[in-house]
Amino acid sequence: MYSLARELLFKLSPETSHELSIDLIGAGGRLGLNGLFCPKPASLPVQVMGIDFPNPVGLAAGLDKNGDAIDGFAQLGFGFVEIGTVTPRPQPGNPKPRLFRLPQATAIINRMGFNNLGVDHLVERVKAAKYRGVLGINIGKNFDTPVERAVDDYLICLDKVYAHASYVTVNVSSPNTPGLRSLQFGDSLKQLLEALRQRQEDLAEQHGRRVPLAIKIAPDMTDEETAMVAVALVEAGMDAVIATNTTLGREGVEGLPFGDEAGGLSGAPVREKSTHTVRVLAGELGGRLPIIAAGGITEGAHAAEKIAAGASLVQIYSGFIYKGPALIREAVDAIAQAQRAGK
Ligand SMILES: Cc1cc2nc3c(=O)[nH]c(=O)nc-3n(C[C@H](O)[C@H](O)[C@H](O)COP(=O)(O)O)c2cc1C
């Protein structure tokens, strides 16, 4: 059925079809209809960051940036839903067009630039949702906040979303906000992590609940850089790492229509890079911090591959656009099968 919907949706511009999909998934969620079209995935409970997940396959950040369709996405069978990236103030993002499909490569290039309605809107949407499952809230900085003041933006968002999130993701890896990725390195990273950890402690006391912090990283670092991030995360007492965001690389899309558009590339071409990053992290971390894997999962087997590389949970975005909700169940089944086979 999704192939028919996809045929219609792909006739529209990527951004129009994105907005329409969010509206439809949101409306289906309000009416409680989405579950009727999507057989529920098998139960495959897992505990990560002290949180119980009904299955290890989640929605990656960026699809529901404002939290407008939380119930709808949850009803499709995701084990967890991550909303955002949200910034302190609303912002329009980059000029359109800024979202490109590359169907020959099962890929997407985007330079959305954190278009979102701001953290206050998102918190209202979370409060209005009926969903009581695992909800990640992904936070970032406004494009016009100087990178030296980025910490302030993350803290504003953390304060506001803390009470409403199962975990909070700190996004330092979007390629579309100038300077953002520099926060993944050296003293900038250490200062950011220290400020976040301190605030997390204060908020935990205030709310009587410790909300885990996950840091989302890029697939474009050298192995040495990735290993250094891993060490910094452990030293700073972070709770998880999400690997990865989109890539600036263009391997696999050279010569394709839109292949040289600026922005982050996701989907099939980023799969190996992302899995490699997971492997490097897993080697360095040795189980001290859980890894949430995202990047290029377009088939169930790819989800199992991420778990085999050392991840505890996976997230999907581009694969969901190309394969639809059936991919959720397929991924859960593949992970369950690999576990049964002892892989
Ligand atoms: C259109 C688009 C928008 C995205 N927006 C965000 C975002 O706001 N925050 C974020 O952390 N990741 C964002 N991502 C990255 C995804 O969450 C994911 O990490 C990446 O696309 C790799 O997974 P995939 O290959 O399954 O898409 C976005 C991806 C796409 C395609």
Side-chain angles (χ1 to χ4, degrees):
M1 196 171 107
Y2 181 73
S3 53
L4 182 65
R6 193 186 104 160
E7 206 173 302
L8 297 173
L9 286 169
F10 275 30
K11 287 200 192 331
L12 305 170
S13 81
E15 196 151 345
T16 307
S17 92
H18 173 93
E19 281 159 13
L20 181 64
S21 304
I22 298 276
D23 287 349
L24 290 173
I25 291 170
R30 279 187 293 282
L31 297 169
L33 291 177
N34 294 357
L36 302 179
F37 300 115
C38 310
K40 239 183 150 36
S43 165
L44 190 61
V46 57
Q47 195 184 64
V48 182
M49 305 181 278
I51 301 169
D52 290 315
F53 293 75
N55 74 59
V57 180
L59 174 68
L63 231 177
D64 191 3
K65 285 186 192 274
N66 296 306
D68 287 331
I70 298 171
D71 290 327
F73 278 110
Q75 284 169 24
L76 297 177
F78 284 111
F80 61 112
V81 173
E82 188 169 313
I83 58 174
T85 298
V86 73
T87 55
R89 289 168 284 115
Q91 62 179 33
N94 286 320
K96 295 177 188 173
R98 54 193 179 177
L99 182 57
F100 307 90
R101 291 186 202 106
L102 293 82
Q104 298 93 329
T106 323
I108 294 172
I109 291 178
N110 93 85
R111 51 171 179 271
M112 304 299 284
F114 292 167
N115 56 309
N116 79 103
L117 298 171
V119 67
D120 293 329
H121 170 94
L122 176 135
V123 166
E124 286 314 309
R125 300 313 304 155
V126 175
K127 285 191 198 159
K130 295 194 192 79
Y131 179 60
R132 293 293 169 264
V134 182
L135 182 72
I137 303 184
N138 181 310
I139 60 175
K141 77 164 199 75
N142 278 112
F143 82 102
D144 56 355
T145 300
V147 77
E148 311 79 58
R149 305 266 309 275
V151 177
D152 300 349
D153 276 15
Y154 288 104
L155 294 179
I156 292 169
C157 289
L158 183 60
D159 284 347
K160 293 196 175 186
V161 305
Y162 191 90
H164 310 283
S166 307
Y167 70 90
V168 175
T169 299
V170 179
N171 182 3
V172 285
S173 48
S174 167
N176 301 312
T177 296
L180 195 84
R181 284 184 165 196
S182 68
L183 297 169
Q184 296 177 115
F185 303 104
D187 287 344
S188 306
L189 177 67
K190 283 190 185 139
Q191 279 158 19
L192 173 64
L193 297 180
E194 178 49 29
L196 289 164
R197 192 202 55 79
Q198 183 63 49
R199 186 62 61 91
Q200 180 194 33
E201 224 167 79
D202 297 346
L203 289 165
E205 201 165 305
Q206 211 172 304
H207 293 272
R209 182 172 76 100
R210 190 173 180 285
V211 176
L213 290 179
I215 309 297
K216 184 163 177 178
I217 66 169
D220 298 325
M221 289 187 267
T222 64
D223 291 356
E224 290 72 27
E225 287 167 343
T226 304
M228 274 161 73
V229 170
V231 171
L233 296 183
V234 172
E235 280 176 357
M238 293 295 115
D239 301 286
V241 54
I242 304 187
T244 68
N245 215 310
T246 56
T247 179
L248 285 168
R250 288 295 180 267
E251 296 88 354
V253 300
E254 300 101 328
L256 292 180
F258 307 119
D260 54 5
E261 286 290 345
L265 170 66
S266 59
V270 78
R271 180 175 133 224
E272 273 172 28
K273 261 190 195 177
S274 295
T275 307
H276 178 75
T277 306
V278 170
R279 255 188 227 110
V280 173
L281 285 170
E284 189 63 39
L285 289 168
R288 287 177 292 173
L289 217 66
I291 302 166
I292 303 171
I297 298 173
T298 62
E299 289 173 20
H302 303 159
E305 175 186 273
K306 302 282 192 199
I307 303 284
S312 303
L313 300 165
V314 302
Q315 295 180 320
I316 54 180
Y317 187 137
S318 304
F320 180 80
I321 303 299
Y322 282 101
K323 299 288 177 71
L327 179 61
I328 307 165
R329 194 183 150 116
E330 202 186 305
V332 174
D333 287 347
I335 294 169
Q337 202 184 347
Q339 282 176 358
R340 279 195 300 274
K343 279 188 215 156

